[in-house]
Amino acid sequence: FQFGKSELQLNYYSNSCPKAEEVIKQEVTKLYHEHGNTAVSWLRNLFHDCVVQGCDASLLLESVTGIESEKASGRSFGMRNFKYVNTIKKALEDECPSTVSCADVVALSARDGIVMLGGPRIEMKTGRKDSKESYASVVEEFIPNHNDSISSVLSRFQSIGIDAEGTVAILGAHSVGRVHCVNLVDRLYPTVDPTLDPDHAEYLKGRCPTPTPDPKAVLYARNDRETPMLLDNYYYKNLLSHKGLLTVDQELASDPATLPFVEKMAADNGYFSEQFSRAVLLLSENNPLTGDQGEVRKDCRYVNAS
Ligand code: HEM
Ligand SMILES: [Ca+2]
Ligand SMILES: [Ca+2]
């Protein structure tokens, strides 16, 4: 049972904080010019928040007594730039105290981050409220692992209303950003995964020279060597030339349920953009808290003091 979804509305803050969306956009733009990868982080945050229980900023809670942070899960490995969420939230608190939820910051920063990365502009509703709890114990149920089977990935997305076409499109998020070696070495050592292009495998071995990388070492490879900071259909072109990084990426090009969509998206960036927008919108409206549910956190890292 999904409650709340229909209570989101366009411009929810039009009376209570008319400049809210503008403030977020300004901060996202400024941060992008200082640290381009913040925009990449906002996109990943949307996924990691919205699939775990719903778009309720549960992701942002820190570990304190009684709360175990979702960020501490292995599935959150490599997530970065959380401190800049506080920068955005602070600007909003200066404009209108205790009004704009952290869950809406997650959604709108992803929307504006997508634009900074050359992706489509997605019209998003607002009015999400923030959870009073973290769902750390179920993160692994909701977020697939990098080497899960395609059928389990498809059923995960299906459960939040995203079909196979939408799933192929939303994984196009991996057209930007990076993957750490710990998530890659299984495909390189002891023998190279035969579905990986041999030249690309050599490149990746250069980036990840040992089969047992120190998880704390910042050894990584870019998701998309062609246009690493652009949300475009190079992801699909790479998959067709066997240059997908994660097992879940490469599987999209080998499964008959997803391959036709990969081919179509590789050939048509407009079609990719359209499907990506549709899927991101569905993700951003997954099971929000609305109305009297939850709260508007003053500090995204902590539940309000009662
Ligand atoms: C089957 C689903 C997915 C799996 C298994 C998955 C897994 C991963 C993994 C393992 C990484 C690399 C982490 C690291 O080593 O640093 C990553 C990065 C990333 N993921 Fe996903 N992901 C999935 C879906 C998504 C979706 C739906 C989005 C957004 C809508 C997304 C956005 C990103 C972004 C932007 C990065 C790059 C982060 C950075 O460079 O800081 N992912 N993902
Ligand atoms: Ca959540
Ligand atoms: Ca790209």
Side-chain angles (χ1 to χ4, degrees):
F1 174 61
Q2 301 215 326
F3 51 96
K5 182 179 254 185
S6 60
E7 292 168 45
L8 295 177
Q9 54 190 77
L10 285 174
N11 267 307
Y12 176 81
Y13 300 107
S14 58
N15 293 319
S16 59
C17 189
K19 286 200 179 145
E21 298 204 13
E22 203 182 306
V23 169
I24 293 174
K25 190 171 154 194
Q26 269 168 12
E27 294 300 314
V28 167
T29 305
K30 200 160 72 189
L31 286 166
Y32 171 79
H33 290 299
E34 287 163 15
H35 317 276
N37 55 38
T38 50
V40 172
S41 297
W42 308 151
L43 180 55
R44 194 175 182 205
N45 283 357
L46 184 77
F47 175 52
H48 283 243
D49 184 29
C50 290
V51 293
V52 177
Q53 184 66 19
C55 304
D56 54 8
S58 61
L59 169 70
L60 301 178
L61 291 172
E62 295 288 340
S63 295
V64 291
T65 312
I67 294 215
E68 186 196 342
S69 179
E70 293 174 17
K71 294 188 277 185
S73 160
R75 293 288 200 274
S76 310
F77 184 82
M79 294 185 85
R80 47 182 166 167
N81 292 316
F82 286 115
K83 65 179 173 191
Y84 298 118
V85 176
N86 305 325
T87 309
I88 301 174
K89 176 64 168 168
K90 210 169 284 153
L92 287 165
E93 288 298 301
D94 289 346
E95 179 73 23
C96 334
S98 296
T99 307
V100 182
S101 70
C102 297
D104 279 337
V105 171
V106 169
L108 296 183
S109 62
R111 175 183 76 178
D112 295 335
I114 288 167
V115 173
M116 298 317 294
L117 297 167
R121 159 125 200 126
I122 304 168
E123 211 54 65
M124 274 186 197
K125 293 179 178 172
T126 39
R128 298 166 189 79
K129 295 287 159 61
D130 301 327
S131 72
K132 294 182 186 174
E133 50 188 314
S134 163
Y135 302 96
S137 61
V138 291
V139 167
E140 297 195 1
E141 255 169 66
F142 288 108
I143 300 181
N145 206 355
H146 63 93
N147 54 5
D148 279 357
S149 72
I150 197 72
S151 62
S152 75
V153 169
L154 289 176
S155 71
R156 267 276 112 242
F157 281 95
Q158 191 67 58
S159 73
I160 61 163
I162 299 178
D163 58 15
E165 190 175 26
T167 302
V168 172
I170 208 164
L171 276 161
H174 291 166
S175 184
V176 293
R178 63 179 181 176
V179 174
H180 285 83
C181 293
V182 280
N183 287 314
L184 292 176
V185 287
D186 289 356
R187 298 191 68 206
L188 303 172
Y189 306 101
T191 52
V192 171
D193 180 335
T195 65
L196 193 56
D197 170 79
D199 290 337
H200 201 60
E202 281 314 302
Y203 158 75
L204 292 176
K205 280 177 153 178
R207 299 291 305 175
C208 305
T210 70
T212 49
D214 173 356
K216 291 199 189 80
V218 216
L219 287 178
Y220 64 87
R222 285 182 147 172
N223 258 319
D224 172 4
R225 284 173 82 192
E226 312 296 331
T227 55
M229 289 301 283
L230 285 181
L231 261 175
D232 58 11
N233 65 342
Y234 262 100
Y235 173 73
Y236 306 97
K237 296 182 197 186
N238 291 336
L239 296 185
L240 293 178
S241 48
H242 303 282
K243 293 174 182 172
L245 252 55
L246 301 175
T247 303
V248 288
D249 296 321
Q250 198 55 58
E251 281 172 339
L252 294 179
S254 47
D255 194 291
T258 49
L259 175 61
F261 300 124
V262 171
E263 288 173 331
K264 214 170 147 194
M265 288 176 205
D268 184 347
N269 195 54
Y271 165 69
F272 157 63
S273 268
E274 228 167 76
Q275 289 298 320
F276 180 78
S277 303
R278 183 179 69 87
V280 166
L281 194 62
L282 286 166
L283 178 64
S284 77
E285 295 187 359
N286 184 45
N287 204 32
L289 298 167
T290 59
D292 295 337
Q293 300 166 333
E295 63 180 9
V296 172
R297 280 182 221 143
K298 271 200 89 62
D299 182 326
C300 295
R301 296 169 296 178
Y302 308 105
V303 173
N304 292 340
S306 48

Short mmCIF file of all heavy atoms in Angstrom, two decimals, residues 48-59 70 131 135, ligand 2:
data_model
loop_
_atom_site.label_atom_id
_atom_site.label_comp_id
_atom_site.label_asym_id
_atom_site.label_seq_id
_atom_site.Cartn_x
_atom_site.Cartn_y
_atom_site.Cartn_z
N HIS A 48 19.33 5.96 -3.57
CA HIS A 48 19.54 5.31 -2.27
C HIS A 48 18.53 5.75 -1.22
O HIS A 48 18.26 5.01 -0.27
CB HIS A 48 20.98 5.53 -1.80
CG HIS A 48 21.96 4.64 -2.51
ND1 HIS A 48 22.72 3.68 -1.88
CD2 HIS A 48 22.27 4.55 -3.83
CE1 HIS A 48 23.47 3.04 -2.77
NE2 HIS A 48 23.23 3.56 -3.96
N ASP A 49 17.98 6.96 -1.34
CA ASP A 49 16.92 7.33 -0.40
C ASP A 49 15.58 6.72 -0.83
O ASP A 49 14.92 6.04 -0.06
CB ASP A 49 16.78 8.86 -0.28
CG ASP A 49 15.74 9.24 0.77
OD1 ASP A 49 15.57 8.46 1.74
OD2 ASP A 49 15.10 10.30 0.63
N CYS A 50 15.19 6.97 -2.06
CA CYS A 50 13.81 6.65 -2.48
C CYS A 50 13.51 5.15 -2.53
O CYS A 50 12.37 4.76 -2.36
CB CYS A 50 13.49 7.33 -3.81
SG CYS A 50 13.35 9.12 -3.63
N VAL A 51 14.49 4.30 -2.82
CA VAL A 51 14.17 2.87 -2.85
C VAL A 51 14.14 2.25 -1.46
O VAL A 51 13.59 1.17 -1.28
CB VAL A 51 15.11 2.00 -3.74
CG1 VAL A 51 14.95 2.32 -5.20
CG2 VAL A 51 16.54 2.07 -3.31
N VAL A 52 14.74 2.91 -0.50
CA VAL A 52 14.71 2.37 0.86
C VAL A 52 13.55 3.01 1.62
O VAL A 52 13.63 4.17 2.02
CB VAL A 52 16.06 2.61 1.58
CG1 VAL A 52 15.99 2.10 3.02
CG2 VAL A 52 17.20 1.92 0.83
N GLN A 53 12.46 2.28 1.69
CA GLN A 53 11.21 2.70 2.34
C GLN A 53 10.46 3.78 1.56
O GLN A 53 9.26 3.69 1.38
CB GLN A 53 11.49 3.16 3.79
CG GLN A 53 10.25 3.53 4.58
CD GLN A 53 9.35 2.32 4.85
OE1 GLN A 53 9.79 1.19 4.75
NE2 GLN A 53 8.08 2.59 5.13
N GLY A 54 11.14 4.76 1.05
CA GLY A 54 10.48 5.82 0.29
C GLY A 54 11.34 7.07 0.30
O GLY A 54 12.40 7.10 0.93
N CYS A 55 10.87 8.11 -0.40
CA CYS A 55 11.63 9.37 -0.48
C CYS A 55 11.36 10.16 0.79
O CYS A 55 10.47 11.02 0.83
CB CYS A 55 11.20 10.18 -1.69
SG CYS A 55 11.34 9.31 -3.25
N ASP A 56 12.12 9.88 1.84
CA ASP A 56 11.85 10.44 3.16
C ASP A 56 13.12 10.90 3.86
O ASP A 56 13.12 11.12 5.07
CB ASP A 56 11.14 9.38 4.02
CG ASP A 56 11.94 8.07 4.08
OD1 ASP A 56 13.09 8.05 3.57
OD2 ASP A 56 11.43 7.08 4.61
N ALA A 57 14.21 11.02 3.09
CA ALA A 57 15.50 11.45 3.65
C ALA A 57 16.03 10.52 4.74
O ALA A 57 16.90 10.90 5.52
CB ALA A 57 15.45 12.91 4.15
N SER A 58 15.51 9.30 4.80
CA SER A 58 16.04 8.34 5.79
C SER A 58 17.54 8.14 5.57
O SER A 58 18.30 7.93 6.52
CB SER A 58 15.30 7.01 5.71
OG SER A 58 15.44 6.40 4.43
N LEU A 59 17.96 8.23 4.31
CA LEU A 59 19.38 8.05 3.97
C LEU A 59 20.30 8.99 4.73
O LEU A 59 21.44 8.65 5.04
CB LEU A 59 19.55 8.30 2.45
CG LEU A 59 20.98 8.42 1.93
CD1 LEU A 59 21.68 7.06 1.98
CD2 LEU A 59 21.01 8.97 0.51
N GLU A 70 21.91 4.55 7.45
CA GLU A 70 21.88 3.80 6.18
C GLU A 70 23.19 4.00 5.42
O GLU A 70 23.59 3.17 4.61
CB GLU A 70 20.69 4.25 5.33
CG GLU A 70 19.35 3.88 5.94
CD GLU A 70 18.16 4.45 5.18
OE1 GLU A 70 18.30 4.85 4.00
OE2 GLU A 70 17.06 4.50 5.78
N SER A 131 11.50 11.31 7.46
CA SER A 131 11.27 10.20 8.38
C SER A 131 11.87 10.52 9.75
O SER A 131 12.79 11.34 9.86
CB SER A 131 11.91 8.93 7.85
OG SER A 131 13.31 9.01 7.98
N TYR A 135 16.32 3.19 8.13
CA TYR A 135 15.94 1.82 7.79
C TYR A 135 17.18 1.00 7.43
O TYR A 135 17.15 0.20 6.50
CB TYR A 135 14.90 1.84 6.67
CG TYR A 135 13.67 2.62 7.05
CD1 TYR A 135 13.53 3.96 6.68
CD2 TYR A 135 12.67 2.06 7.84
CE1 TYR A 135 12.42 4.71 7.07
CE2 TYR A 135 11.57 2.79 8.24
CZ TYR A 135 11.46 4.12 7.86
OH TYR A 135 10.37 4.85 8.26
CA CA B 2 14.30 6.50 2.34
#
